[in-house]
Amino acid sequence: MSADGPRAPAYEEAVRARIAAARLWAAHQAPYLASAVFALNPLILQPARDADTGVPVADPDFRAFPADTRWNLYVEPGSALATPVEEIGWWMLHQVGHLVRGHAARSPVRPATGQEVSHAAGAVGPRDAEAHRWSQAADAEINDDLEAEDLRGPAGVLSPAELGLPANRTAEEYVPMLEVLAQAMDRGGRALAEAIDCGSAADGQWRPYEDSGSGDGLTRLDRELLERSLAAGIQDRISARSEVPSGWRRWAEERLRPSVNWRARLGATIRRGVSTVAGQVDFSYRRPSRRAGAYTDIVPPSMVRAVPDTVLVIDTSGSVTNDALNRLLAEVTGIIAGVAGPNRRLRAFCCDVHPHAVQVVRRAGDIELVGGGGTDMRAGIAAAMALRPRPDLVIVLTDGRTPWPEQRPATHVLVCLIGDGGHAPDWASVARIPADAPLRTPAKGES
Ligand SMILES: [Zn+2]
């Protein structure tokens, strides 16, 4: 078809045709995700070839048609030609799940540094193990919605139904459940699922092959608009009484109306951050389903309560009023006290263009707000990371009108974003708080 310029390789047309057919299949199966499926940007990689015939052969590393956070879908020609159209379509729906649910930003995995990024063959460090477990948990969060639609994954893919996992949980909740399951199954010489790589869309870790398409794909604004229209479309379908799986209903509700339920969301985000860091989530384990009969040696998880060391960074630049900050601080510290216990001491500091002195406090009321003028949360986060002992969790209270560090810091960061003018970085967990939120008066003894 290419009239001028270099001729496309012979296989490319066949690959493009399969991708087009797979998109149609996926959009037909899950019409509420159609616009997202069509927003995926397929990039065709150089094929692996049979040494004798020169024919493209499937590279199992690209079995999942991995995606990056700019919505590029990496298509390895051998895999595309060897995989049924329906299966490619299933992976498209799966990757849309990783992207729209923000799994890369939610990933607790620290960024790779220097050597680690080289992906030395056979070397599996603790970071890889953590990334692997997170990806499986993210898969569980997506696949239960697909299974609810009777869209069962290809062989070897993690199936929450088959593993007897409770449905409708978040990836953060699935992590400790999978930990327990994996240990029990390891003893029987079995694995939860095959090791399948969904790309940086699932865990936020850069992949060497991403260089080829780093300039392409969706911008932050594209993604924002796409997500909003996707959520609006889902709401329309719900109003028209069309079937939409519950995980997607919840996502659309939260995406469109963050202000309705902002207090619950703030609480959930902070608890999730605390739990992710502590590696401990409170959950009750459901009896495995009948199909999981082979896994009767599963034991209930033990509860280990480790409270992460949390630091608050407070944006005291002129654009945020002290009144709003004081009340939000009361909310945040109240939630932390609920998770970590009321006597937990917190480190906090104010930041405008520079970080101010660290304050060690028990209650929000003890925090003295100092500062004013411009904002640079890069300085605030750098100062938090320089503290000793280094915090496990950094919570930033800001209106988001600030530059942010380019790279994900080596600690989990949660941004409480006041109002809807500013933005938070892709690598942070975010709770949006309406600027005019009717904040409650703190209860006695709470602030
Ligand atoms: Zn996946």
Side-chain angles (χ1 to χ4, degrees):
M1 293 292 280
S2 56
D4 306 304
R7 269 180 75 86
Y11 59 82
E12 201 175 301
E13 200 174 325
V15 170
R16 293 208 180 277
R18 290 185 85 77
I19 295 296
R23 270 203 225 255
L24 284 176
W25 181 90
H28 183 71
Q29 298 299 317
Y32 47 91
L33 297 180
S35 60
V37 166
F38 281 96
L40 289 168
N41 182 40
L43 295 174
I44 300 181
L45 298 167
Q46 286 299 315
R49 287 181 188 278
D50 182 280
D52 297 328
T53 63
V55 171
V57 290
D59 178 346
D61 286 353
F62 290 90
R63 185 187 162 190
F65 298 86
D68 66 22
T69 53
R70 297 174 64 88
W71 288 64
N72 294 310
L73 191 77
Y74 293 89
V75 179
E76 187 277 305
S79 303
L81 295 173
T83 307
V85 163
E86 294 81 3
E87 193 175 318
I88 302 175
W90 188 91
W91 282 116
M92 286 179 167
L93 293 173
H94 180 92
Q95 295 295 358
V96 162
H98 281 309
L99 290 164
V100 175
R101 309 284 184 97
H103 285 152
R106 287 162 55 192
S107 167
V109 186
R110 309 280 188 269
T113 53
Q115 308 276 300
E116 286 176 329
V117 98
S118 68
H119 283 235
V124 178
R127 206 181 52 80
D128 297 320
E130 192 187 21
H132 179 57
R133 182 70 71 231
W134 169 257
S135 298
Q136 287 184 324
D139 282 357
E141 181 185 301
I142 298 166
N143 291 353
D144 73 342
D145 280 318
L146 288 168
E147 288 181 333
E149 291 277 88
D150 251 346
L151 295 168
R152 299 190 58 81
V157 169
L158 189 136
S159 160
E162 271 179 28
L163 291 171
L165 292 168
N168 287 326
R169 301 297 176 93
T170 61
E172 288 81 358
E173 292 172 298
Y174 282 127
V175 165
M177 298 185 208
L178 292 175
E179 244 2 289
V180 174
L181 264 177
Q183 280 169 19
M185 289 171 70
D186 261 4
R187 289 196 287 273
R190 291 168 308 219
L192 284 174
E194 283 174 23
I196 293 171
D197 186 11
C198 288
S200 58
D203 61 15
Q205 304 289 309
W206 178 83
R207 303 294 196 277
Y209 57 80
E210 285 182 21
D211 261 351
S212 61
S214 54
D216 296 318
L218 303 190
T219 64
R220 174 197 298 280
L221 181 63
D222 293 336
R223 297 194 297 261
E224 177 85 21
L225 294 174
L226 174 65
E227 285 183 15
R228 271 192 215 166
S229 78
L230 194 63
I234 288 174
Q235 292 267 290
D236 288 347
R237 284 176 174 273
I238 294 168
S239 310
R241 302 191 182 280
S242 295
E243 286 293 315
V244 178
S246 52
W248 284 109
R249 284 171 180 256
R250 199 179 47 228
W251 172 80
E253 174 71 26
E254 292 188 354
R255 189 70 187 72
L256 289 177
R257 294 185 223 288
S259 59
V260 169
N261 220 354
W262 69 270
R263 187 173 283 127
R265 282 170 53 84
L266 176 64
T269 311
I270 291 178
R271 278 190 294 274
R272 200 167 74 197
V274 170
S275 307
T276 302
V277 170
Q280 179 267 325
V281 175
D282 183 12
F283 73 90
S284 56
Y285 196 75
R286 205 183 62 164
R287 230 154 57 95
S289 73
R290 207 161 28 84
R291 276 149 96 188
Y295 314 132
T296 44
D297 45 356
I298 292 160
V299 292
S302 58
M303 303 286 285
V304 183
R305 199 151 184 95
V307 176
D309 192 341
T310 304
V311 168
L312 295 178
V313 180
I314 306 156
D315 176 355
T316 44
S317 66
S319 56
V320 193
T321 68
N322 276 12
D323 192 38
L325 274 180
N326 271 320
R327 289 179 300 163
L328 183 55
L329 271 171
E331 292 280 349
V332 170
T333 52
I335 293 162
I336 295 171
V339 182
N343 292 322
R344 182 80 188 166
R345 283 191 313 164
L346 281 172
R347 287 180 290 174
F349 62 88
C350 300
C351 180
D352 38 51
V353 280
H354 304 292
H356 293 260
V358 177
Q359 308 175 39
V360 180
V361 298
R362 284 181 200 281
R363 297 166 305 172
D366 298 341
I367 298 173
E368 190 194 345
L369 296 175
V370 288
T375 322
D376 191 347
M377 287 300 121
R378 290 176 303 193
I381 289 174
M385 299 304 299
L387 290 176
R388 292 293 176 269
R390 192 159 85 181
D392 304 307
L393 175 66
V394 176
I395 301 181
V396 184
L397 278 60
T398 178
D399 63 1
R401 294 170 208 270
T402 167
W404 293 100
E406 290 274 319
Q407 299 290 322
R408 175 199 297 260
T411 281
H412 199 83
V413 176
L414 195 157
V415 177
C416 297
L417 205 55
I418 307 164
D420 45 26
H423 78 278
D426 280 341
W427 42 256
S429 305
V430 185
R432 254 190 204 279
I433 320 294
D436 54 352
L439 291 155
R440 71 189 167 142
T441 317
K444 238 180 215 166
E446 201 175 29
S447 93

